[in-house]
Amino acid sequence: MGILSAAVAAAATSGLERAAEKLPKENREPFERTNHRGEAVTLLEGPGAVLGALAGVLASRGSNKVKAAAVVAGAVSGAVGAYDDLRGTTQAKGFRGHLSALRRGEVTSGAVKILGVGAAGIAAAALLPRKSRGVKAVAGVVADGALIAGTANLTNLLDLRPGRALKAVTALNAPLAVVNGPAGAVVGAAAASAPADLGERAMLGDCGANGLGAITGTALAAALPRPLKTLALALVVGLNLASEKVSFTKVIADTPALDKIDQWGRRPR
């Protein structure tokens, strides 16, 4: 089922990318940004990748509950990410910055995104099939919701250099892609998005990173056995907390093995 979803997602993402390239200039301008080199890139990769991945999820075989959870997580997280892409400012950054703004009575686009991704994670987790009942089931929904939302945010934190976020979600989903439709869909969408992303013509933005990250988190929550899921949640939470103090870009650049992976397929520095 993962192979089918990957093929559909790749085809849909490629088609949407070609359609985006044909949009009139005035329609593309709101999505134009400047990348780390100071060059113009488009954020239209993000909506195309998320919609492509969702098409792959819907085309996959398997549990309807898992498919519904992945659609809710990806669609809502992608939508609030798009809102932040188009309406966001740089005045507040990170969880701390947006929550501090909320305490002052200021609702930032980032706060809307954080709340939206969190709500999407819980809603998606509630849709996943469960064997337990009562308190254990509620605890499972909370844990899975945190994994889904945390993976969405972590993917967004990695979208600071070409291909970095796509490599991360591909690495997480590839081991599950043969048997899990949502995982295969993310792999297919990532593969189709990679040439433009690595070529520095486009980037995922909050829409693409949050959407693909949320589907990835759903795949992990649905497919991993409990011990591995607990480990994944601990890593995701730990890395999200670390991001408030540490620059992932600096850590990657200072670690030869990670830097080599980060440079795969990219233009020379």
Side-chain angles (χ1 to χ4, degrees):
M1 58 183 161
I3 295 174
L4 172 63
S5 64
V8 171
T13 301
S14 295
L16 289 166
E17 183 178 301
R18 291 192 295 270
E21 290 172 353
K22 296 177 182 178
L23 287 173
K25 182 178 179 181
E26 60 269 22
N27 295 127
R28 292 177 58 87
E29 281 181 350
F31 296 91
E32 298 296 325
R33 296 294 184 273
T34 301
N35 69 2
H36 68 109
R37 292 184 194 266
E39 298 173 353
V41 295
T42 180
L43 296 179
L44 285 169
E45 174 189 336
V50 174
L51 290 173
L54 292 175
V57 171
L58 291 172
S60 68
R61 302 187 180 99
S63 168
N64 287 331
K65 289 185 176 181
V66 172
K67 290 167 60 174
V71 168
V72 167
V76 176
S77 297
V80 294
Y83 174 76
D84 197 27
D85 280 334
L86 295 174
R87 303 295 183 188
T89 67
T90 58
Q91 293 177 345
K93 293 184 178 181
F95 283 114
R96 184 178 301 175
H98 293 299
L99 293 178
S100 295
L102 273 178
R103 284 196 294 270
R104 298 193 301 268
E106 178 186 354
V107 181
T108 65
S109 60
V112 171
K113 184 184 71 173
I114 289 170
L115 294 173
V117 170
I122 292 295
L127 289 170
L128 291 174
R130 301 196 178 276
K131 296 179 181 179
S132 58
R133 294 289 186 271
V135 175
K136 284 187 177 180
V138 173
V141 169
V142 172
D144 287 351
L147 177 59
I148 294 167
T151 304
N153 190 65
L154 182 59
T155 304
N156 191 33
L157 293 172
L158 294 174
D159 190 38
L160 295 177
R161 291 295 183 271
R164 184 182 293 172
L166 291 178
K167 291 171 186 174
V169 294
T170 299
L172 288 172
N173 285 285
L176 306 174
V178 175
V179 296
N180 184 280
V186 174
V187 171
S193 299
D197 199 304
L198 290 168
E200 303 187 26
R201 302 186 299 277
M203 62 184 291
L204 286 172
D206 288 358
C207 174
N210 284 146
L212 293 186
I215 299 172
T216 298
T218 306
L220 295 174
L224 290 181
R226 183 176 296 178
L228 287 180
K229 189 156 56 172
T230 301
L231 176 60
L233 176 59
L235 288 172
V236 165
V237 171
L239 288 171
N240 272 286
L241 292 175
S243 71
E244 296 289 320
K245 298 287 186 180
V246 177
S247 166
F248 288 169
T249 294
K250 186 177 187 306
V251 171
I252 290 169
D254 291 343
T255 308
L258 293 178
D259 186 54
K260 186 173 182 179
I261 294 171
D262 198 42
Q263 296 300 321
W264 284 349
R266 285 174 52 183
R267 291 163 51 190
R269 288 191 178 100

PDB file of all heavy atoms in Angstrom, residues 186-213:
ATOM      1  N   VAL A 186       4.431  10.474   2.010  1.00  0.00           N
ATOM      2  CA  VAL A 186       5.436  11.502   2.308  1.00  0.00           C
ATOM      3  C   VAL A 186       6.703  11.261   1.493  1.00  0.00           C
ATOM      4  O   VAL A 186       7.298  12.200   0.954  1.00  0.00           O
ATOM      5  CB  VAL A 186       5.757  11.541   3.814  1.00  0.00           C
ATOM      6  CG1 VAL A 186       6.906  12.503   4.085  1.00  0.00           C
ATOM      7  CG2 VAL A 186       4.527  11.967   4.607  1.00  0.00           C
ATOM      8  N   VAL A 187       7.126   9.999   1.383  1.00  0.00           N
ATOM      9  CA  VAL A 187       8.320   9.682   0.595  1.00  0.00           C
ATOM     10  C   VAL A 187       8.121  10.099  -0.860  1.00  0.00           C
ATOM     11  O   VAL A 187       9.013  10.704  -1.480  1.00  0.00           O
ATOM     12  CB  VAL A 187       8.661   8.183   0.693  1.00  0.00           C
ATOM     13  CG1 VAL A 187       9.770   7.816  -0.299  1.00  0.00           C
ATOM     14  CG2 VAL A 187       9.095   7.826   2.108  1.00  0.00           C
ATOM     15  N   GLY A 188       6.959   9.809  -1.421  1.00  0.00           N
ATOM     16  CA  GLY A 188       6.692  10.186  -2.804  1.00  0.00           C
ATOM     17  C   GLY A 188       6.672  11.685  -3.014  1.00  0.00           C
ATOM     18  O   GLY A 188       7.260  12.205  -3.976  1.00  0.00           O
ATOM     19  N   ALA A 189       5.998  12.406  -2.114  1.00  0.00           N
ATOM     20  CA  ALA A 189       5.945  13.869  -2.220  1.00  0.00           C
ATOM     21  C   ALA A 189       7.327  14.479  -2.049  1.00  0.00           C
ATOM     22  O   ALA A 189       7.696  15.437  -2.749  1.00  0.00           O
ATOM     23  CB  ALA A 189       4.982  14.429  -1.174  1.00  0.00           C
ATOM     24  N   ALA A 190       8.111  13.945  -1.115  1.00  0.00           N
ATOM     25  CA  ALA A 190       9.463  14.464  -0.880  1.00  0.00           C
ATOM     26  C   ALA A 190      10.356  14.243  -2.101  1.00  0.00           C
ATOM     27  O   ALA A 190      11.131  15.130  -2.487  1.00  0.00           O
ATOM     28  CB  ALA A 190      10.064  13.803   0.356  1.00  0.00           C
ATOM     29  N   ALA A 191      10.247  13.068  -2.721  1.00  0.00           N
ATOM     30  CA  ALA A 191      11.054  12.771  -3.904  1.00  0.00           C
ATOM     31  C   ALA A 191      10.732  13.725  -5.050  1.00  0.00           C
ATOM     32  O   ALA A 191      11.624  14.203  -5.758  1.00  0.00           O
ATOM     33  CB  ALA A 191      10.831  11.325  -4.334  1.00  0.00           C
ATOM     34  N   ALA A 192       9.456  14.008  -5.231  1.00  0.00           N
ATOM     35  CA  ALA A 192       9.052  14.912  -6.313  1.00  0.00           C
ATOM     36  C   ALA A 192       9.459  16.352  -6.033  1.00  0.00           C
ATOM     37  O   ALA A 192       9.741  17.123  -6.964  1.00  0.00           O
ATOM     38  CB  ALA A 192       7.539  14.826  -6.517  1.00  0.00           C
ATOM     39  N   SER A 193       9.497  16.728  -4.750  1.00  0.00           N
ATOM     40  CA  SER A 193       9.838  18.107  -4.383  1.00  0.00           C
ATOM     41  C   SER A 193      11.346  18.350  -4.350  1.00  0.00           C
ATOM     42  O   SER A 193      11.786  19.500  -4.412  1.00  0.00           O
ATOM     43  CB  SER A 193       9.268  18.428  -2.996  1.00  0.00           C
ATOM     44  OG  SER A 193       7.878  18.313  -2.968  1.00  0.00           O
ATOM     45  N   ALA A 194      12.123  17.281  -4.237  1.00  0.00           N
ATOM     46  CA  ALA A 194      13.559  17.423  -3.991  1.00  0.00           C
ATOM     47  C   ALA A 194      14.323  18.218  -5.061  1.00  0.00           C
ATOM     48  O   ALA A 194      15.170  19.050  -4.710  1.00  0.00           O
ATOM     49  CB  ALA A 194      14.184  16.043  -3.806  1.00  0.00           C
ATOM     50  N   PRO A 195      14.100  17.995  -6.370  1.00  0.00           N
ATOM     51  CA  PRO A 195      14.903  18.737  -7.354  1.00  0.00           C
ATOM     52  C   PRO A 195      14.808  20.254  -7.210  1.00  0.00           C
ATOM     53  O   PRO A 195      15.825  20.951  -7.229  1.00  0.00           O
ATOM     54  CB  PRO A 195      14.330  18.256  -8.693  1.00  0.00           C
ATOM     55  CG  PRO A 195      13.811  16.886  -8.404  1.00  0.00           C
ATOM     56  CD  PRO A 195      13.237  16.990  -7.016  1.00  0.00           C
ATOM     57  N   ALA A 196      13.595  20.776  -7.059  1.00  0.00           N
ATOM     58  CA  ALA A 196      13.436  22.222  -6.915  1.00  0.00           C
ATOM     59  C   ALA A 196      13.980  22.719  -5.584  1.00  0.00           C
ATOM     60  O   ALA A 196      14.547  23.809  -5.497  1.00  0.00           O
ATOM     61  CB  ALA A 196      11.962  22.610  -7.061  1.00  0.00           C
ATOM     62  N   ASP A 197      13.806  21.923  -4.527  1.00  0.00           N
ATOM     63  CA  ASP A 197      14.274  22.310  -3.197  1.00  0.00           C
ATOM     64  C   ASP A 197      15.796  22.324  -3.152  1.00  0.00           C
ATOM     65  O   ASP A 197      16.420  23.310  -2.724  1.00  0.00           O
ATOM     66  CB  ASP A 197      13.712  21.330  -2.156  1.00  0.00           C
ATOM     67  CG  ASP A 197      13.751  21.889  -0.743  1.00  0.00           C
ATOM     68  OD1 ASP A 197      14.839  22.265  -0.286  1.00  0.00           O
ATOM     69  OD2 ASP A 197      12.692  21.938  -0.092  1.00  0.00           O
ATOM     70  N   LEU A 198      16.426  21.229  -3.592  1.00  0.00           N
ATOM     71  CA  LEU A 198      17.891  21.160  -3.596  1.00  0.00           C
ATOM     72  C   LEU A 198      18.491  22.143  -4.593  1.00  0.00           C
ATOM     73  O   LEU A 198      19.606  22.638  -4.394  1.00  0.00           O
ATOM     74  CB  LEU A 198      18.336  19.734  -3.934  1.00  0.00           C
ATOM     75  CG  LEU A 198      18.069  18.688  -2.848  1.00  0.00           C
ATOM     76  CD1 LEU A 198      18.271  17.282  -3.401  1.00  0.00           C
ATOM     77  CD2 LEU A 198      18.967  18.921  -1.641  1.00  0.00           C
ATOM     78  N   GLY A 199      17.763  22.435  -5.665  1.00  0.00           N
ATOM     79  CA  GLY A 199      18.234  23.400  -6.648  1.00  0.00           C
ATOM     80  C   GLY A 199      18.038  24.838  -6.228  1.00  0.00           C
ATOM     81  O   GLY A 199      18.388  25.765  -6.958  1.00  0.00           O
ATOM     82  N   GLU A 200      17.451  25.031  -5.033  1.00  0.00           N
ATOM     83  CA  GLU A 200      17.242  26.363  -4.447  1.00  0.00           C
ATOM     84  C   GLU A 200      16.351  27.253  -5.296  1.00  0.00           C
ATOM     85  O   GLU A 200      16.519  28.459  -5.364  1.00  0.00           O
ATOM     86  CB  GLU A 200      18.584  27.038  -4.139  1.00  0.00           C
ATOM     87  CG  GLU A 200      19.440  26.193  -3.202  1.00  0.00           C
ATOM     88  CD  GLU A 200      20.704  26.891  -2.721  1.00  0.00           C
ATOM     89  OE1 GLU A 200      20.708  28.141  -2.691  1.00  0.00           O
ATOM     90  OE2 GLU A 200      21.665  26.191  -2.387  1.00  0.00           O
ATOM     91  N   ARG A 201      15.369  26.607  -5.937  1.00  0.00           N
ATOM     92  CA  ARG A 201      14.340  27.363  -6.653  1.00  0.00           C
ATOM     93  C   ARG A 201      13.079  27.483  -5.820  1.00  0.00           C
ATOM     94  O   ARG A 201      12.242  28.346  -6.078  1.00  0.00           O
ATOM     95  CB  ARG A 201      14.007  26.671  -7.984  1.00  0.00           C
ATOM     96  CG  ARG A 201      15.180  26.499  -8.917  1.00  0.00           C
ATOM     97  CD  ARG A 201      14.764  25.956 -10.265  1.00  0.00           C
ATOM     98  NE  ARG A 201      14.141  24.644 -10.193  1.00  0.00           N
ATOM     99  CZ  ARG A 201      14.810  23.494 -10.143  1.00  0.00           C
ATOM    100  NH1 ARG A 201      16.139  23.500 -10.124  1.00  0.00           N
ATOM    101  NH2 ARG A 201      14.165  22.333 -10.107  1.00  0.00           N
ATOM    102  N   ALA A 202      12.935  26.595  -4.818  1.00  0.00           N
ATOM    103  CA  ALA A 202      11.725  26.566  -3.998  1.00  0.00           C
ATOM    104  C   ALA A 202      12.071  26.029  -2.619  1.00  0.00           C
ATOM    105  O   ALA A 202      13.140  25.449  -2.406  1.00  0.00           O
ATOM    106  CB  ALA A 202      10.667  25.674  -4.652  1.00  0.00           C
ATOM    107  N   MET A 203      11.161  26.229  -1.674  1.00  0.00           N
ATOM    108  CA  MET A 203      11.334  25.657  -0.338  1.00  0.00           C
ATOM    109  C   MET A 203       9.960  25.288   0.224  1.00  0.00           C
ATOM    110  O   MET A 203       8.931  25.795  -0.230  1.00  0.00           O
ATOM    111  CB  MET A 203      12.075  26.619   0.584  1.00  0.00           C
ATOM    112  CG  MET A 203      11.378  27.930   0.851  1.00  0.00           C
ATOM    113  SD  MET A 203      12.392  29.056   1.866  1.00  0.00           S
ATOM    114  CE  MET A 203      12.370  28.171   3.441  1.00  0.00           C
ATOM    115  N   LEU A 204       9.974  24.408   1.229  1.00  0.00           N
ATOM    116  CA  LEU A 204       8.716  23.934   1.801  1.00  0.00           C
ATOM    117  C   LEU A 204       7.954  25.028   2.523  1.00  0.00           C
ATOM    118  O   LEU A 204       6.735  25.102   2.449  1.00  0.00           O
ATOM    119  CB  LEU A 204       8.990  22.784   2.777  1.00  0.00           C
ATOM    120  CG  LEU A 204       9.367  21.441   2.173  1.00  0.00           C
ATOM    121  CD1 LEU A 204       9.801  20.482   3.272  1.00  0.00           C
ATOM    122  CD2 LEU A 204       8.212  20.850   1.384  1.00  0.00           C
ATOM    123  N   GLY A 205       8.660  25.879   3.267  1.00  0.00           N
ATOM    124  CA  GLY A 205       7.990  26.864   4.103  1.00  0.00           C
ATOM    125  C   GLY A 205       7.247  26.181   5.233  1.00  0.00           C
ATOM    126  O   GLY A 205       7.298  24.961   5.409  1.00  0.00           O
ATOM    127  N   ASP A 206       6.531  26.960   6.015  1.00  0.00           N
ATOM    128  CA  ASP A 206       5.786  26.401   7.145  1.00  0.00           C
ATOM    129  C   ASP A 206       4.679  25.459   6.672  1.00  0.00           C
ATOM    130  O   ASP A 206       4.409  24.434   7.304  1.00  0.00           O
ATOM    131  CB  ASP A 206       5.162  27.525   7.975  1.00  0.00           C
ATOM    132  CG  ASP A 206       6.199  28.290   8.774  1.00  0.00           C
ATOM    133  OD1 ASP A 206       7.387  27.924   8.702  1.00  0.00           O
ATOM    134  OD2 ASP A 206       5.819  29.241   9.475  1.00  0.00           O
ATOM    135  N   CYS A 207       4.044  25.786   5.563  1.00  0.00           N
ATOM    136  CA  CYS A 207       2.973  24.946   5.051  1.00  0.00           C
ATOM    137  C   CYS A 207       3.487  23.542   4.749  1.00  0.00           C
ATOM    138  O   CYS A 207       2.963  22.548   5.257  1.00  0.00           O
ATOM    139  CB  CYS A 207       2.380  25.567   3.791  1.00  0.00           C
ATOM    140  SG  CYS A 207       1.145  24.521   2.961  1.00  0.00           S
ATOM    141  N   GLY A 208       4.523  23.452   3.933  1.00  0.00           N
ATOM    142  CA  GLY A 208       5.044  22.152   3.540  1.00  0.00           C
ATOM    143  C   GLY A 208       5.683  21.394   4.677  1.00  0.00           C
ATOM    144  O   GLY A 208       5.467  20.188   4.840  1.00  0.00           O
ATOM    145  N   ALA A 209       6.487  22.091   5.477  1.00  0.00           N
ATOM    146  CA  ALA A 209       7.189  21.412   6.565  1.00  0.00           C
ATOM    147  C   ALA A 209       6.222  20.920   7.638  1.00  0.00           C
ATOM    148  O   ALA A 209       6.309  19.776   8.095  1.00  0.00           O
ATOM    149  CB  ALA A 209       8.231  22.359   7.174  1.00  0.00           C
ATOM    150  N   ASN A 210       5.277  21.780   8.043  1.00  0.00           N
ATOM    151  CA  ASN A 210       4.309  21.360   9.056  1.00  0.00           C
ATOM    152  C   ASN A 210       3.398  20.254   8.528  1.00  0.00           C
ATOM    153  O   ASN A 210       3.091  19.291   9.242  1.00  0.00           O
ATOM    154  CB  ASN A 210       3.463  22.529   9.522  1.00  0.00           C
ATOM    155  CG  ASN A 210       4.198  23.463  10.463  1.00  0.00           C
ATOM    156  OD1 ASN A 210       3.989  24.675  10.454  1.00  0.00           O
ATOM    157  ND2 ASN A 210       5.076  22.924  11.303  1.00  0.00           N
ATOM    158  N   GLY A 211       2.957  20.379   7.279  1.00  0.00           N
ATOM    159  CA  GLY A 211       2.061  19.378   6.717  1.00  0.00           C
ATOM    160  C   GLY A 211       2.718  18.015   6.570  1.00  0.00           C
ATOM    161  O   GLY A 211       2.188  16.997   7.024  1.00  0.00           O
ATOM    162  N   LEU A 212       3.900  17.976   5.936  1.00  0.00           N
ATOM    163  CA  LEU A 212       4.598  16.698   5.775  1.00  0.00           C
ATOM    164  C   LEU A 212       5.051  16.147   7.125  1.00  0.00           C
ATOM    165  O   LEU A 212       5.024  14.927   7.346  1.00  0.00           O
ATOM    166  CB  LEU A 212       5.811  16.864   4.853  1.00  0.00           C
ATOM    167  CG  LEU A 212       5.524  17.200   3.383  1.00  0.00           C
ATOM    168  CD1 LEU A 212       6.823  17.193   2.587  1.00  0.00           C
ATOM    169  CD2 LEU A 212       4.529  16.234   2.767  1.00  0.00           C
ATOM    170  N   GLY A 213       5.457  17.037   8.029  1.00  0.00           N
ATOM    171  CA  GLY A 213       5.873  16.591   9.354  1.00  0.00           C
ATOM    172  C   GLY A 213       4.730  15.979  10.135  1.00  0.00           C
ATOM    173  O   GLY A 213       4.907  14.979  10.843  1.00  0.00           O
TER     174      GLY A 213
END
